[in-house]
Amino acid sequence: MLLLRLLLRRSCCCSLASTAVKSPHVRFPPRGCLTSTHSFALKRALSTSWTLMTNAPGPQDLDVWKSVMRSQALQEEKPEDGEEEPTPESEGELSPLESSRRLVETWRLAGKLVPEKITDVELETLAELGTKSSKRKYLKYLAIKEGHKKANREKKERKRAEKLAEKQTEQDDEGEEESEPKLRNTYLMHFWSRSMDRLMGWRVAQAMRFGQPLVYDMSYEQHMSRQEMENTISQLLETEGWNRRAAEPFHLHFCNLQPNGAYHRELLKRYSQETWDRLLITATSQQHIEVFPQESLVYLTADSPNVLRTYDHSKVYIVGAMVDRSIQSGVSLANAKRMKLATARLPLDEFLHWDSGAKNLTLDQMIRILMTAKETGSWEKALEFVPKRKHTGFYHQRKEDCAQPVRATCRHPDSGNGQLFMSKQRKKNPRPEIPSLGSEDISGQTRLRTALKSKLESRSKVTNKKNWWDEE
């Protein structure tokens, strides 16, 4: 009770003081001068403060007031329409992408080798790396890659600018003279590349009408691997180029070419659909026996027992479009026998001294051999396109080399130990020939034996002469 009274008295005093301050009508007299009027005013103030204290909110009202004020504060802190809500990143928790981006920016400011632009995928890859050294190496790799791309882009832009400048210069020259570009001062006639393209295209078009057909059998998909298929298509592209540049080209036929097959897909990949449609060749899924009469077909294969001794312009030669690194002998011959076709092989053994390797030639070598044989009729000129690593020369050249006399030179017996030198070529100052044994056609070994025998006889004579002087 005493404590309650003290609290009430203190509250009354505080309320009286506040009332006195707020009300200009309430004035306190000097100390020791309290009248009845003053005591009434004091009592009234005390009663008023008591009423205010009794009407003051309780603990429950304070809790309600606090909740209301808190809700108002939250409403004021809410973002307006169009603003993003606060994320954990703004509160101090960064995502892996943002931390990686900040790491890149920090290293860039520190002068380290980092890319100027980096994508989110690269940032995710960077965030997955565990050590700083791996991150530094990855960023260095990205920076070097970006530098290469930038250099290539600048190079392309520079070339494009040079082409535009050249084109502008040509347009200015054409505007001045209204004629072809200026030619250099030469006595040779100048042919433009477009003129040569038209000329070669016209020759191939004529060959499709009047030329001799040459068939490529495209039925060997199952006998080749992927790499061998790509090599075959590369050789076919070279074949088409050599045929296009020939003076008398063949009419090329790609038989057994199945749509959407391995050959067809690879050809479209190399040529593109537009170029393939404009190519001056005949591509068909039919077999060659359905396109040409059977009696005019000759299948060229290295396994054939028949030798193609003369080139026949009335025949249609067939070449198997196959690259066979594993040397599956007899595949093309079996294919020809199955269709009951005539077979033949090039006269390699009859003209060339074969050294090593198989007698299977590439497709571009075959067409160059056939074109030369067609134009000149000489197998010696045609077989010059056989790789030199596979043979040691033509037979007539070896016979000529063997027919040349073998020369021997030796020093004079008095000059000391003589040395014997062999040579197949005739020198400018030939020494006397070695005496023969009565036969004009002596082989190289016989001549060598004769030379050695004469050398031994000369040495024995010199030795006998010295011994005779010593005896005397």
Side-chain angles (χ1 to χ4, degrees), residues 109-175:
L109 295 176
K112 295 184 179 180
L113 187 60
V114 295
E116 297 180 359
K117 296 180 181 180
I118 187 168
T119 61
D120 294 340
V121 179
E122 295 172 346
L123 287 174
E124 290 178 358
T125 307
L126 181 65
E128 293 175 358
L129 300 177
T131 60
K132 286 186 178 180
S133 60
S134 60
K135 292 182 179 181
R136 183 171 62 253
K137 290 179 181 179
Y138 180 66
L139 291 175
K140 183 179 179 181
Y141 160 73
L142 293 179
I144 294 174
K145 185 178 179 181
E146 186 181 34
H148 287 314
K149 289 183 179 179
K150 185 177 180 181
N152 293 335
R153 185 166 55 252
E154 291 177 355
K155 185 177 180 180
K156 289 181 180 179
E157 291 178 356
R158 185 169 60 254
K159 287 185 177 181
R160 190 182 298 110
E162 292 176 357
K163 288 182 180 180
L164 290 176
E166 291 178 0
K167 186 180 293 185
Q168 186 65 29
T169 304
E170 291 178 359
Q171 290 179 358
D172 295 342
D173 294 341
E174 289 178 358

Side-chain angles (χ1 to χ4, degrees), residues 442-472:
I442 303 176
S443 62
Q445 294 182 354
T446 306
R447 292 180 181 277
L448 181 60
R449 293 194 192 98
T450 306
L452 292 174
K453 186 176 180 180
S454 61
K455 178 64 179 177
L456 292 174
E457 290 177 357
S458 62
R459 284 185 180 181
S460 61
K461 289 181 181 179
V462 172
T463 305
N464 296 332
K465 187 176 181 180
K466 287 183 178 181
N467 295 334
W468 181 75
W469 281 105
D470 293 337
E471 289 176 359
E472 290 185 355

